[in-house]
Amino acid sequence: MKQSQWFRLIGLAVITLTVSLAMAAQSVSASSVAGAYTKEGTNIHLFLGTSFGFILHTPGEHRPRTGNYTIDGNTLTLTEGRDVQLMLLTVQGDKLYDQDGNAWVKAAPAPAPAPPQTQASNQITIKDPAEFNAYQSASTQSDPAAKAAALESFLQAYPQSVVEGTVLNTLIDTYQQLRDVDKVLSAASRLLQTDPNNIKAILLSVLIKKDQCAKTRDAQTCDDAAALAQRGLSIPKPADRSDADWQKLTGGIYPTYRAAIALARPAPPAAAPPPPPAPMPEIAPPPPPADTPPPTIALGQTENQVTAILGQPLKAARLGAKVIFYYKDMKVTFTNGKVSNVE
Protein backbone atom coordinates (compact mmCIF):
# COMPACT_ATOMS: atom_id res chain seq x y z
CA MET A 1 0.00 0.00 0.00
CA LYS A 2 1.39 3.41 -0.92
CA GLN A 3 0.47 6.87 0.19
CA SER A 4 -0.40 7.76 -3.40
CA GLN A 5 -3.31 5.31 -3.20
CA TRP A 6 -4.94 7.36 -0.47
CA PHE A 7 -6.47 10.82 -0.49
CA ARG A 8 -6.49 13.38 2.27
CA LEU A 9 -9.75 14.25 3.91
CA ILE A 10 -10.61 17.93 3.32
CA GLY A 11 -13.13 20.18 4.95
CA LEU A 12 -14.48 18.59 8.15
CA ALA A 13 -17.51 20.64 9.26
CA VAL A 14 -17.89 21.92 12.82
CA ILE A 15 -21.40 23.08 13.82
CA THR A 16 -22.04 25.37 16.81
CA LEU A 17 -25.46 25.04 18.37
CA THR A 18 -27.48 27.43 20.52
CA VAL A 19 -31.06 26.17 20.54
CA SER A 20 -34.23 27.10 22.47
CA LEU A 21 -36.84 24.32 22.55
CA ALA A 22 -40.41 24.16 23.97
CA MET A 23 -42.14 22.59 26.97
CA ALA A 24 -45.11 20.20 27.51
CA ALA A 25 -46.55 18.07 30.35
CA GLN A 26 -45.55 14.48 30.97
CA SER A 27 -43.54 12.97 33.84
CA VAL A 28 -40.28 11.27 32.77
CA SER A 29 -37.12 10.07 34.53
CA ALA A 30 -33.43 10.20 33.75
CA SER A 31 -33.24 6.45 33.16
CA SER A 32 -36.11 6.54 30.66
CA VAL A 33 -34.49 9.21 28.45
CA ALA A 34 -30.87 8.07 28.73
CA GLY A 35 -29.37 7.01 25.41
CA ALA A 36 -28.19 8.27 22.04
CA TYR A 37 -30.26 10.63 19.86
CA THR A 38 -29.81 12.05 16.37
CA LYS A 39 -31.58 15.15 15.10
CA GLU A 40 -33.52 14.08 12.01
CA GLY A 41 -31.94 15.22 8.76
CA THR A 42 -28.62 16.21 10.43
CA ASN A 43 -25.42 14.74 11.75
CA ILE A 44 -25.97 16.28 15.20
CA HIS A 45 -25.87 13.74 18.00
CA LEU A 46 -26.93 13.94 21.63
CA PHE A 47 -25.92 11.32 24.19
CA LEU A 48 -27.76 11.45 27.54
CA GLY A 49 -26.40 9.53 30.52
CA THR A 50 -28.39 8.17 33.42
CA SER A 51 -26.33 10.33 35.81
CA PHE A 52 -27.51 13.60 34.22
CA GLY A 53 -24.45 13.99 32.00
CA PHE A 54 -24.78 14.73 28.30
CA ILE A 55 -22.54 14.89 25.23
CA LEU A 56 -23.60 17.10 22.33
CA HIS A 57 -21.51 16.13 19.34
CA THR A 58 -21.08 16.94 15.65
CA PRO A 59 -18.69 15.39 13.08
CA GLY A 60 -15.24 16.94 12.94
CA GLU A 61 -15.05 17.77 16.64
CA HIS A 62 -12.24 16.29 18.65
CA ARG A 63 -13.76 17.14 22.05
CA PRO A 64 -17.33 16.49 23.11
CA ARG A 65 -19.57 19.27 24.29
CA THR A 66 -20.59 18.18 27.74
CA GLY A 67 -22.77 19.47 30.55
CA ASN A 68 -25.64 18.56 32.85
CA TYR A 69 -29.39 18.27 32.46
CA THR A 70 -32.44 18.34 34.70
CA ILE A 71 -36.00 17.06 34.23
CA ASP A 72 -39.19 18.90 35.20
CA GLY A 73 -42.31 17.07 34.10
CA ASN A 74 -41.52 16.06 30.53
CA THR A 75 -39.17 19.00 29.91
CA LEU A 76 -35.48 18.30 29.63
CA THR A 77 -33.22 21.31 30.35
CA LEU A 78 -29.59 21.10 29.17
CA THR A 79 -27.12 23.59 30.62
CA GLU A 80 -23.38 24.22 31.08
CA GLY A 81 -22.36 22.68 27.77
CA ARG A 82 -19.62 24.32 25.72
CA ASP A 83 -21.39 26.75 23.34
CA VAL A 84 -24.77 25.57 24.69
CA GLN A 85 -26.34 28.24 26.88
CA LEU A 86 -29.76 26.61 27.26
CA MET A 87 -31.64 23.81 25.54
CA LEU A 88 -35.21 22.78 26.36
CA LEU A 89 -36.44 19.48 24.97
CA THR A 90 -39.96 18.03 25.10
CA VAL A 91 -39.92 14.28 25.76
CA GLN A 92 -42.50 12.14 23.96
CA GLY A 93 -41.76 8.44 24.05
CA ASP A 94 -38.44 7.70 22.37
CA LYS A 95 -38.24 11.13 20.72
CA LEU A 96 -37.35 14.66 21.78
CA TYR A 97 -39.01 17.66 20.05
CA ASP A 98 -38.16 21.31 19.68
CA GLN A 99 -40.58 24.20 19.19
CA ASP A 100 -40.25 23.96 15.40
CA GLY A 101 -41.33 20.34 15.41
CA ASN A 102 -37.85 18.90 14.70
CA ALA A 103 -37.47 15.44 16.18
CA TRP A 104 -34.42 14.00 17.93
CA VAL A 105 -34.71 10.26 17.34
CA LYS A 106 -33.43 7.84 19.95
CA ALA A 107 -31.20 5.14 18.54
CA ALA A 108 -32.56 1.64 18.84
CA PRO A 109 -30.53 -0.58 21.20
CA ALA A 110 -27.83 -2.41 19.28
CA PRO A 111 -25.74 -5.38 20.39
CA ALA A 112 -22.48 -4.26 21.90
CA PRO A 113 -19.36 -4.89 19.81
CA ALA A 114 -17.28 -7.81 20.98
CA PRO A 115 -15.09 -6.50 23.79
CA PRO A 116 -11.34 -7.10 23.68
CA GLN A 117 -9.95 -9.98 25.70
CA THR A 118 -7.01 -10.27 28.03
CA GLN A 119 -4.32 -12.89 27.53
CA ALA A 120 -6.23 -15.11 29.92
CA SER A 121 -9.35 -14.76 27.68
CA ASN A 122 -11.20 -12.80 30.36
CA GLN A 123 -13.56 -10.29 28.86
CA ILE A 124 -12.93 -6.61 29.53
CA THR A 125 -16.21 -4.83 30.15
CA ILE A 126 -17.09 -1.16 30.49
CA LYS A 127 -18.64 -0.69 33.92
CA ASP A 128 -19.77 2.92 33.57
CA PRO A 129 -23.17 2.98 31.73
CA ALA A 130 -22.54 6.43 30.25
CA GLU A 131 -19.14 5.34 28.92
CA PHE A 132 -20.64 2.14 27.52
CA ASN A 133 -23.44 4.04 25.76
CA ALA A 134 -20.97 6.51 24.27
CA TYR A 135 -18.71 3.68 23.07
CA GLN A 136 -21.61 1.73 21.62
CA SER A 137 -23.00 4.76 19.81
CA ALA A 138 -19.62 5.74 18.37
CA SER A 139 -18.57 2.28 17.26
CA THR A 140 -21.88 1.53 15.50
CA GLN A 141 -21.92 4.66 13.31
CA SER A 142 -22.37 3.76 9.65
CA ASP A 143 -20.87 6.92 8.11
CA PRO A 144 -17.02 6.72 8.27
CA ALA A 145 -16.52 10.44 8.89
CA ALA A 146 -19.12 10.51 11.67
CA LYS A 147 -17.71 7.31 13.12
CA ALA A 148 -14.15 8.67 13.20
CA ALA A 149 -15.28 11.88 14.86
CA ALA A 150 -17.38 10.00 17.44
CA LEU A 151 -14.52 7.65 18.28
CA GLU A 152 -12.09 10.56 18.70
CA SER A 153 -14.62 12.27 20.96
CA PHE A 154 -14.94 9.08 22.99
CA LEU A 155 -11.16 8.94 23.52
CA GLN A 156 -11.18 12.57 24.63
CA ALA A 157 -14.01 11.98 27.08
CA TYR A 158 -12.61 8.67 28.40
CA PRO A 159 -8.81 8.76 27.98
CA GLN A 160 -8.30 5.86 30.42
CA SER A 161 -10.99 3.59 28.96
CA VAL A 162 -10.37 -0.14 29.02
CA VAL A 163 -11.36 -0.25 25.32
CA GLU A 164 -8.81 2.38 24.25
CA GLY A 165 -6.89 -0.18 22.18
CA THR A 166 -10.06 -1.42 20.48
CA VAL A 167 -11.14 2.14 19.65
CA LEU A 168 -7.73 3.02 18.18
CA ASN A 169 -7.75 -0.16 16.12
CA THR A 170 -11.18 0.77 14.76
CA LEU A 171 -9.96 4.31 14.06
CA ILE A 172 -7.14 2.92 11.91
CA ASP A 173 -9.65 1.02 9.78
CA THR A 174 -12.00 4.01 9.61
CA TYR A 175 -9.28 6.45 8.52
CA GLN A 176 -8.22 3.92 5.88
CA GLN A 177 -11.78 4.02 4.56
CA LEU A 178 -11.50 7.81 4.46
CA ARG A 179 -8.04 7.53 2.79
CA ASP A 180 -6.56 9.94 5.32
CA VAL A 181 -2.91 8.87 5.53
CA ASP A 182 -1.88 11.30 8.26
CA LYS A 183 -4.68 10.21 10.58
CA VAL A 184 -4.02 6.53 9.91
CA LEU A 185 -0.44 7.17 11.01
CA SER A 186 -1.61 9.16 14.05
CA ALA A 187 -3.99 6.42 15.20
CA ALA A 188 -1.32 3.75 14.65
CA SER A 189 1.23 5.74 16.66
CA ARG A 190 -1.21 6.12 19.54
CA LEU A 191 -2.02 2.41 19.44
CA LEU A 192 1.68 1.54 19.65
CA GLN A 193 1.90 3.56 22.87
CA THR A 194 -0.56 1.16 24.50
CA ASP A 195 0.36 -1.97 22.52
CA PRO A 196 4.04 -1.71 21.42
CA ASN A 197 3.97 -5.04 19.53
CA ASN A 198 0.78 -4.45 17.54
CA ILE A 199 1.67 -5.92 14.15
CA LYS A 200 -1.03 -4.05 12.24
CA ALA A 201 0.00 -0.65 13.63
CA ILE A 202 3.71 -1.30 12.97
CA LEU A 203 3.15 -2.53 9.42
CA LEU A 204 0.92 0.41 8.42
CA SER A 205 3.36 2.88 10.00
CA VAL A 206 6.29 1.33 8.12
CA LEU A 207 4.39 1.35 4.82
CA ILE A 208 3.43 5.01 5.16
CA LYS A 209 6.81 6.25 6.36
CA LYS A 210 8.66 4.09 3.80
CA ASP A 211 6.58 5.65 1.03
CA GLN A 212 7.20 9.15 2.42
CA CYS A 213 10.92 8.40 2.67
CA ALA A 214 11.10 7.24 -0.95
CA LYS A 215 9.36 10.41 -2.13
CA THR A 216 10.97 13.07 0.05
CA ARG A 217 14.30 11.48 1.00
CA ASP A 218 13.87 13.13 4.38
CA ALA A 219 16.54 11.52 6.53
CA GLN A 220 14.49 11.54 9.73
CA THR A 221 11.46 9.96 8.04
CA CYS A 222 13.69 7.23 6.59
CA ASP A 223 15.24 6.59 10.00
CA ASP A 224 11.77 6.44 11.61
CA ALA A 225 10.63 3.86 9.05
CA ALA A 226 13.75 1.79 9.68
CA ALA A 227 13.34 1.94 13.45
CA LEU A 228 9.72 0.77 13.20
CA ALA A 229 10.78 -1.99 10.81
CA GLN A 230 13.45 -3.16 13.26
CA ARG A 231 10.75 -3.31 15.93
CA GLY A 232 8.56 -5.37 13.61
CA LEU A 233 11.37 -7.85 12.97
CA SER A 234 11.93 -8.29 16.71
CA ILE A 235 8.32 -9.13 17.66
CA PRO A 236 8.19 -12.66 19.12
CA LYS A 237 5.67 -15.16 17.84
CA PRO A 238 2.43 -14.88 19.84
CA ALA A 239 1.62 -17.95 21.89
CA ASP A 240 -1.76 -18.40 20.18
CA ARG A 241 -0.27 -18.60 16.66
CA SER A 242 1.02 -21.78 15.10
CA ASP A 243 4.49 -21.89 13.59
CA ALA A 244 3.00 -22.32 10.11
CA ASP A 245 0.71 -19.29 10.48
CA TRP A 246 3.54 -17.16 11.87
CA GLN A 247 5.87 -18.11 9.01
CA LYS A 248 3.16 -17.31 6.50
CA LEU A 249 2.51 -13.91 8.08
CA THR A 250 6.14 -12.90 8.51
CA GLY A 251 7.04 -14.19 5.07
CA GLY A 252 4.73 -11.55 3.64
CA ILE A 253 5.75 -8.58 5.79
CA TYR A 254 9.44 -9.12 6.57
CA PRO A 255 10.55 -8.13 3.02
CA THR A 256 8.77 -4.78 3.54
CA TYR A 257 10.59 -4.28 6.81
CA ARG A 258 13.97 -5.09 5.29
CA ALA A 259 13.33 -2.70 2.39
CA ALA A 260 12.53 0.08 4.87
CA ILE A 261 15.71 -0.62 6.81
CA ALA A 262 17.74 -0.38 3.59
CA LEU A 263 16.50 3.20 3.07
CA ALA A 264 17.85 4.43 6.41
CA ARG A 265 20.99 6.54 6.67
CA PRO A 266 24.16 4.43 7.02
CA ALA A 267 25.60 4.40 10.47
CA PRO A 268 28.60 6.71 10.85
CA PRO A 269 31.99 4.92 10.96
CA ALA A 270 33.17 4.06 14.39
CA ALA A 271 35.58 6.61 15.77
CA ALA A 272 39.15 5.43 16.20
CA PRO A 273 39.99 4.72 19.81
CA PRO A 274 42.00 7.50 21.45
CA PRO A 275 45.74 6.87 21.82
CA PRO A 276 46.85 5.59 25.17
CA PRO A 277 48.01 8.34 27.52
CA ALA A 278 51.73 9.05 27.62
CA PRO A 279 53.47 7.56 30.66
CA MET A 280 53.95 9.96 33.50
CA PRO A 281 57.57 10.99 34.05
CA GLU A 282 59.14 9.69 37.16
CA ILE A 283 59.21 12.24 39.92
CA ALA A 284 62.17 12.13 42.25
CA PRO A 285 61.27 12.03 45.91
CA PRO A 286 61.81 15.29 47.74
CA PRO A 287 65.05 15.63 49.69
CA PRO A 288 64.85 15.01 53.42
CA PRO A 289 64.32 18.15 55.44
CA ALA A 290 67.45 19.76 56.77
CA ASP A 291 68.04 19.41 60.45
CA THR A 292 66.64 22.43 62.19
CA PRO A 293 68.75 23.61 65.09
CA PRO A 294 66.88 23.79 68.37
CA PRO A 295 65.75 27.23 69.47
CA THR A 296 68.42 29.00 71.50
CA ILE A 297 67.70 31.40 74.36
CA ALA A 298 70.57 33.58 75.54
CA LEU A 299 71.04 35.76 78.53
CA GLY A 300 70.28 39.39 77.91
CA GLN A 301 67.53 38.74 75.29
CA THR A 302 64.34 40.76 75.62
CA GLU A 303 60.80 39.45 76.09
CA ASN A 304 59.99 40.15 72.41
CA GLN A 305 63.07 38.22 71.26
CA VAL A 306 62.14 35.22 73.40
CA THR A 307 58.52 35.14 72.23
CA ALA A 308 59.71 35.42 68.62
CA ILE A 309 61.79 32.25 69.18
CA LEU A 310 59.55 30.22 71.49
CA GLY A 311 56.15 31.76 70.94
CA GLN A 312 53.79 32.99 73.58
CA PRO A 313 54.33 31.37 77.02
CA LEU A 314 51.77 29.09 78.59
CA LYS A 315 51.65 31.53 81.50
CA ALA A 316 53.64 34.49 82.82
CA ALA A 317 54.37 35.78 86.33
CA ARG A 318 55.29 39.43 86.80
CA LEU A 319 56.87 40.20 90.14
CA GLY A 320 58.07 43.78 90.04
CA ALA A 321 61.37 43.91 88.14
CA LYS A 322 61.27 40.13 87.73
CA VAL A 323 59.12 38.39 85.04
CA ILE A 324 58.92 34.62 84.57
CA PHE A 325 57.70 32.97 81.30
CA TYR A 326 56.57 29.37 81.69
CA TYR A 327 56.81 27.03 78.66
CA LYS A 328 56.07 23.31 78.41
CA ASP A 329 59.62 22.25 79.27
CA MET A 330 61.34 25.56 80.07
CA LYS A 331 61.14 28.49 82.46
CA VAL A 332 62.66 31.82 81.42
CA THR A 333 63.33 34.53 83.99
CA PHE A 334 63.65 38.19 83.02
CA THR A 335 65.16 40.84 85.29
CA ASN A 336 64.60 44.41 84.25
CA GLY A 337 63.31 43.16 80.86
CA LYS A 338 66.38 40.99 80.08
CA VAL A 339 66.86 37.20 80.31
CA SER A 340 68.63 36.53 83.58
CA ASN A 341 68.04 32.80 84.00
CA VAL A 342 66.80 29.78 81.95
CA GLU A 343 65.78 26.51 83.58
Side-chain angles (χ1 to χ4, degrees), residues 112-116 135 166:
Y135 169 66
T166 300

Side-chain angles (χ1 to χ4, degrees), residues 124-208:
I124 299 176
T125 58
I126 301 175
K127 297 181 179 180
D128 178 23
E131 180 182 351
F132 176 79
N133 290 337
Y135 169 66
Q136 184 179 19
S137 177
S139 59
T140 55
Q141 293 282 338
S142 58
D143 177 67
K147 184 174 186 177
L151 291 172
E152 292 285 12
S153 294
F154 175 85
L155 291 176
Q156 288 288 336
Y158 304 99
Q160 304 298 326
S161 176
V162 293
V163 293
E164 178 186 12
T166 300
V167 172
L168 288 169
N169 207 317
T170 305
L171 269 175
I172 291 175
D173 296 337
T174 306
Y175 285 134
Q176 282 185 280
Q177 287 181 274
L178 295 170
R179 300 180 181 180
D180 191 321
V181 177
D182 291 338
K183 290 188 176 179
V184 170
L185 186 58
S186 172
S189 299
R190 285 179 284 165
L191 180 56
L192 289 175
Q193 293 177 10
T194 61
D195 183 6
N197 289 339
N198 189 282
I199 297 174
K200 174 181 176 180
I202 291 176
L203 178 59
L204 285 173
S205 299
V206 170
L207 287 169
I208 294 172

Side-chain angles (χ1 to χ4, degrees), residues 43-55:
N43 280 328
I44 303 172
H45 308 288
L46 177 64
F47 308 116
L48 298 175
T50 57
S51 59
F52 295 95
F54 74 84
I55 300 174

Side-chain angles (χ1 to χ4, degrees), residues 4-19:
S4 57
Q5 296 174 317
W6 291 321
F7 300 93
R8 299 180 184 277
L9 183 65
I10 300 175
L12 288 175
V14 177
I15 304 174
T16 302
L17 297 178
T18 303
V19 184

